[in-house]
Amino acid sequence: MTSLARVGATGSMPVAPTPVLELTSVQKTFGQTQVLDVQGVTLRSGSVYGLLGANGSGKSTLVKILSGYHRPDSGSEGRLRGIPISWPIKQAGSGIAVVQQDYALIEDVSITENFLAQRASRRSLLSTVNWREEHARTLQSLSVLGVVLDPRALVSSLTPAQRALVAIGRAVEQLGSDDLSGKLLILDEPTANLGNADVARVLTAVRDYAASGACVIVVNHRMPEVRACADEVIVLREGRLALAGPQGQFDDDQLVRAMFAVASERPSHGDTTGSQPAVPHGGGVLALTWPASAGGEPARHCFWPGEVVGVAGLIGMGQDHLPYQIVGAAPRRGLSVEMDGRILEGGPVQAKQRGLILVPADRARDGLWLNGAVRENFTITRLAHMRVNKLLSGQAERRATSSACREWAVVYGGPEAEMWTLSGGNQQKVALARAVASEPWEVLLVHEPTQGVDIATRAAIHVALVDLAHRRGKCVVVFGSDYDSLATVSDRVLVMNSGRVVQEITGDELSEDAIATASMNVQTRAPAPPKTEGDPNA
Amino acid sequence: MPDTEVQTDNAAPKKADPPPLESAATRIGSRGRAVATMQRFGLLGFMALIFVLFAILQPNTFPTQDNLLLLISSQSVIVVLALAVSLTLRLGDLDLSFGAVATTSGIVFAVCDVQHHWPVSACILMALLFGLLVGVVNAFMVITIGLSSFVATLGSMTVVEGIGYQLAHSQVVVNVNEHFVSRMADGPGGIAVAVLIGWALFLVMWLVYERTPFGRYLLYIGGGRRSAELLGIRVSLIRYIAYAAGGLLYGLAGVVLVGTVASADPTVGGQYLLPPLAAVFLGTTAIQIGRFNALGTMIAIYTLAIVTSGIQLFGASAWVTYVFSGGALIVAVSLARFSRWHSGDDSNDISVTP
């Protein structure tokens, strides 16, 4: 990463003018969960700020507040260029522009047409487009970033780096060109989909832009990239400011610790089997075999009854895709799945028959029927058992639902309450309770089980997952990028990179730090992760 | 140096006592429940109200036995069609082909009967098979090929209508088996067999929707198809069955149609498009708010029929019926949307994505 020479002018600002943005005190609460509580953040012109934080640390929420998508809780205070902010921040004229992680470009039209939407507001609906002029403006805006592209080119024909630069160029144009000091550009993981060379190019453009006077926030959690582009770092953890200051003052270890907290206590695995799971009998209940690839040999990993295995990785590194591949809801692409030594083929129906069940991450889309009652969601997997005289019995359903919800301490308005009235954590409990109740099963795959879940529920889910493995002898595999959670529940953790397991962390080495370091320091991230259509996270 | 001491002890799970089971959701309150009950039975109340109103305004013509029997029997085809189309609507799909399939199945029946002199049972079988076939083809287009149900069935509707014209040689097929027609009209207590078929179907559908796993699966797939798939539910199979059963019942509606009017007219398909749709959508505002349900559908059908009949007794001209049918559909869908809002559903607003 030495190619990313820092061009910024650290310490070259004698007098501090009015800060671009001051967040005196900003809170955001969803339902009963406070997801953000930030105080005393000041951003100044000409600097690049690296915004760091694990999943659920509140960085997306903060970005959404700054882009005017969320209105923070009442009582929140902040100043934009010295003027008190009235929430929610209005995008137009605020001098703030945001580049979304997915760039939000329209694929099948030209670069200029992607710029037109934001220019259009200045024209009447019926006026015609002067293409020559519009293209020239696009060219001009891109040249600010040192990019030369044909403005007529279709976005779909661009490389990932070019797309990133077009998206940034569009935001830059939105900010105007007259006086950059006071303008705020926010980039939400701009390099998430880029290879190394491209990362350098994009980050250099960002640095140059800041050097001309603007203030830039880059959401990122790759250490080398933060080092290469940020003057200052702001680290969030669990919605609060964990650390802030000039980037050079902190070493990698300090930053990782600030992001993930330290010394997370592991739950009391002890009573049953000690640190190691029971000696497996016969063979792994679930085995995954990846085909040989350019990167190396075929890889095989087995999962045993009685253990909790974590599968970790940065977003997009494959652990988000794998659970859906295993059950056959996404193309397996050569991945071979064996249950009890026999190859598993087909989709989720076959997976269920062989004792493999999945609790997906996206509860609203993949997990639950939100307009349905809690009862209807809970019993859907075992309606056959809810019958009296061959007909469904509402009473039997309600009884089963109530007793499961009591066992899982679900806070809800009764079995007939509609699912969407429950908080995220309680929805997740119902999803897990349903999966556990749909016997017979042997392997439970859970994807981001504690995402968007409050702290108490998070702890309860941890206990439940460990209990399933250690007391009931099930095999539990937890996929996610919440390293704290993974370190807490897992007996061992597999770290994925580019769709492959690259490291296994076991025993005493297992800690949140170790997972974080393993997933972040994984040298080059050159080959892009397999992008597949039907990607559940697309 | 900003504070770096964010609490770190939360990760240790405690097997502490469960939190008190209380939330906003538990406190719906009796007032909320009263509102919900009013919503569920509001349409029924409205039906009673306008019935009384017309009875007072037209005491000599409206509440007579003849008029009421006529009113009920005029709805027999619509009952079958509305219940049939609710199958795919519960899945979240819209099968538009029902009116055309019913007319063309009726023509199949009439042609087998009038031109080929087949026994009535064979004619019925052919009509039902035709409906079933169209249902399976629709299912293939929507589920296997993946077309939108609206587009696929708009196409099949038109194709089936064309087949009807060809089979009937663009003419009304008359002289349908008299014995069959009189049997259809003559039931116990003066209630036509055609009506009884609709009511029997209602009972079956009610049972299927409320008391069988299949009915539940339909709703779950309609509300969370991806979730159903990931749970290992046989989503495609269930959708195929719904489309095929729907087609079969459209065929049944065709038989009922020919039985009540004693002829088969290839041009009437359009007349059977709007009323059943208006009824099923209006039905979602009754009994089970926001859901396509059998009892709500029945209430809606007869509510709309009473209003139409009342209007006709006042001597309104033909255009009123059109305006009323179209208006009823729009109002019904609006009411359906409104009653979901009213129950506070803003499930699109889940924005807790860290």
Side-chain angles (χ1 to χ4, degrees), chain A residues 30 56 60 64 70 237-238 240-244 250 261 265 267 324 329 348-349 352-353 358 360 365-373 375-377 379-381 383 387 391-392 397 409-413 418 420-421 434 451-452 455 459 462-463 471 484 488 536, chain B residues 1-15 18-26 28 207 210-214 216-217 219-220 222-235 289 291 340 343-347 349-354:
Chain A
F30 290 116
S60 304
K64 283 178 179 167
H70 284 325
R237 186 177 71 234
E238 285 155 18
R240 288 158 196 257
L241 193 63
L243 181 152
F250 311 105
E265 288 171 46
Y324 306 91
V349 175
K352 172 80 183 62
Q353 284 166 352
L358 168 67
R365 201 193 54 175
D366 299 339
L368 296 165
W369 170 30
L370 290 181
N371 284 333
R375 162 182 63 87
E376 291 166 314
N377 274 277
T379 57
I380 193 73
T381 52
L383 286 175
R387 291 185 298 185
L391 292 175
L392 284 181
E397 287 189 66
V410 176
V411 181
Y412 73 134
E418 289 186 22
W420 60 267
T421 62
R434 171 176 69 188
Q451 181 173 290
I455 286 169
H462 288 164
V463 171
R471 290 235 158 70
D484 172 42
T488 307
Chain B
M1 186 67 183
D3 122 47
T4 43
E5 303 215 341
V6 180
Q7 72 278 33
T8 55
D9 55 344
N10 58 67
K14 289 176 218 119
K15 282 172 199 166
L21 300 184
E22 218 184 285
S23 77
T26 46
I28 301 170
L207 208 61
E210 306 305 323
R211 305 296 299 275
T212 70
F214 179 75
R216 182 72 54 75
Y217 286 139
L219 271 184
Y220 196 100
R225 186 190 303 168
R226 174 84 181 154
S227 166
E229 280 165 356
L230 289 175
L231 287 171
I233 293 168
R234 294 179 174 276
V235 172
I289 306 297
R291 294 183 176 182
R340 276 226 75 87
S343 65
D345 177 10
D346 52 1
S347 46
D349 192 37
I350 292 158
S351 44
V352 201
T353 41

Side-chain angles (χ1 to χ4, degrees), chain A residues 119-236:
Chain A
R119 294 175 190 166
S121 55
R122 296 184 203 159
R123 279 194 309 268
S124 86
L125 277 175
L126 292 175
S127 66
T128 52
V129 177
N130 180 340
W131 285 107
R132 185 190 296 264
E133 207 174 90
E134 300 290 351
H135 287 318
R137 263 190 83 188
T138 308
L139 218 47
Q140 165 74 33
S141 297
L142 291 175
S143 72
V144 173
L145 298 172
V147 185
V148 181
L149 285 170
D150 181 356
R152 287 163 301 187
L154 292 184
V155 167
S156 53
S157 70
L158 302 179
T159 66
Q162 288 170 333
R163 277 160 203 254
L165 290 166
V166 165
I168 297 171
R170 186 170 60 172
V172 162
E173 181 182 293
Q174 208 182 327
L175 293 177
S177 52
D178 10 319
D179 179 17
L180 285 181
S181 70
K183 297 295 171 61
L184 176 58
L185 175 65
I186 302 173
L187 307 172
D188 191 358
E189 302 208 34
T191 55
N193 306 310
L194 304 182
N196 273 338
D198 292 341
V199 169
R201 189 162 173 224
V202 170
L203 293 184
T204 308
V206 169
R207 276 230 59 87
D208 290 349
Y209 184 66
S212 57
C215 172
V216 182
I217 299 178
V218 179
V219 179
N220 203 322
H221 40 224
R222 299 204 175 91
M223 226 37 89
E225 294 179 18
V226 173
R227 294 288 180 206
C229 84
D231 301 305
E232 308 249 342
V233 286
I234 298 170
V235 182
L236 297 182

